[in-house]
Amino acid sequence: MRDVLQLEVEGRPLQIQRLRDPRCRRMRLVVDERGPRLSMPLRASQASAEAFVRDNGAWLLAQLAALQVDDSGQHEALRITQTTQLPLLGSERAVHWLPARHTHVLLAADGSLEFHYSPRAGQAALARALSDFYLAQARSLIGPETARWLPGLPRAPRRFVFKQMSSRWGSLAPDATVALDLSLVLAPPAALQYVLVHELCHLLQPNHSPAFWAEVSARLPDWPQQRDWLGEHGRRVKYRLRQLLAVA
């Protein structure tokens, strides 16, 4: 059974996803790209849950701070005229809100984003428009990049699928379908390039053997830098996208 635990931790109001799990023998608190979550036994009380969270308050706030993109506070969902910047390809882009008949997002010539919105647009419509924009941007990047790396591969990918992933950045299915995390479109282009090359090299070596990494290195000698970037910033990027596309 899932619900939301709302309480104040060291003076900060928080909402924590709570799961009452019959298999759970003790309380467990985790923070990842989906935010803070508490797993607890079925018979555990509300008071014990609150006490457990507060006892781990310093750790929890430190983990949440690691998901911040700046010092201004928590990431927020989209708000008409109030959201002034949005992430794209490793940088924050200015957002211009423009009333329109249909809700959609365009990339302006100066690199800023034009968020055209209907006066009746709700949170779901805003999130869908931003999701469609990010998907279009990802697809516009992946075509030329794939063509660049096709020579030397045994075959081309069957298709590309973009979706939000919990921990992985990409995967290659047996039918040569490549799945990529949509949040890569928020990261610097080099990070997306690394994940793409990684998955394409699995067409040559369906493993992570030295031979596989040799194929990656032959194409991207600096791949460890991109892997390290994802290791340091990836959780924050995934969390940011989830917050932006969340619908209350």
Side-chain angles (χ1 to χ4, degrees):
M1 182 176 64
R2 298 178 183 269
D3 62 0
V4 177
L5 177 64
Q6 301 188 37
L7 75 164
E8 193 170 282
V9 177
E10 298 188 10
R12 177 175 168 181
L14 294 177
Q15 291 188 347
I16 300 172
Q17 296 296 319
R18 177 169 55 180
L19 171 63
R20 293 184 180 273
D21 187 345
R23 299 167 298 177
C24 189
R25 295 292 177 263
R26 58 186 178 85
M27 295 194 194
R28 181 169 178 261
L29 187 62
V30 298
V31 180
D32 59 18
E33 68 280 357
R34 291 171 288 182
R37 303 194 314 282
L38 174 68
S39 298
M40 56 190 293
L42 287 176
R43 296 184 179 181
S45 67
Q46 172 85 6
S48 63
E50 294 182 1
F52 181 80
V53 172
R54 290 195 173 98
D55 287 344
N56 292 276
W59 176 87
L60 174 59
L61 294 180
Q63 294 300 306
L64 289 173
L67 295 177
Q68 307 281 340
V69 293
D70 52 38
D71 296 330
S72 62
Q74 287 182 300
H75 301 311
E76 296 181 353
L78 286 168
R79 296 288 183 268
I80 293 176
T81 71
Q82 295 181 30
T83 298
T84 59
Q85 289 186 318
L86 286 170
L88 178 66
L89 298 178
S91 65
E92 294 292 319
R93 310 295 182 95
V95 179
H96 306 289
W97 292 90
L98 304 171
R101 292 184 60 185
H102 305 290
T103 302
H104 61 284
V105 185
L106 297 176
L107 180 63
D110 63 0
S112 63
L113 304 187
E114 294 181 354
F115 213 124
H116 300 255
Y117 68 96
S118 165
R120 294 178 294 178
Q123 195 65 38
L126 296 177
R128 185 166 55 250
L130 184 59
S131 177
D132 290 344
F133 170 76
Y134 280 146
L135 180 59
Q137 291 297 308
R139 291 194 179 283
S140 70
L141 291 169
I142 215 69
E145 277 295 323
T146 302
R148 176 183 178 185
W149 304 111
L150 280 180
L153 296 179
R155 54 177 169 158
R158 179 172 176 267
R159 63 183 179 126
F160 287 95
V161 176
F162 290 90
K163 57 185 178 180
Q164 294 185 65
M165 298 181 172
S166 294
S167 57
R168 304 174 72 178
W169 292 102
S171 64
L172 177 69
D175 69 350
T177 293
V178 175
L180 298 173
D181 192 324
L182 182 59
S183 63
L184 284 167
V185 79
L186 277 59
L192 186 151
Q193 183 185 69
Y194 160 62
V195 176
L196 172 62
V197 169
H198 182 116
E199 299 309 328
L200 292 179
C201 284
H202 278 310
L203 292 168
L204 291 161
Q205 297 286 340
N207 48 53
H208 288 102
S209 64
F212 166 80
W213 290 113
E215 296 289 353
V216 176
S217 296
R219 292 161 176 79
L220 288 179
D222 68 341
W223 67 265
Q225 298 176 30
Q226 311 314 321
R227 180 195 58 186
D228 292 347
W229 190 96
L230 291 170
E232 181 177 354
H233 304 284
R235 220 167 39 129
R236 200 157 54 224
V237 170
K238 288 175 178 284
Y239 180 65
R240 184 78 183 277
L241 184 66
R242 285 184 180 272
Q243 293 296 99
L244 287 171
L245 301 186
V247 178

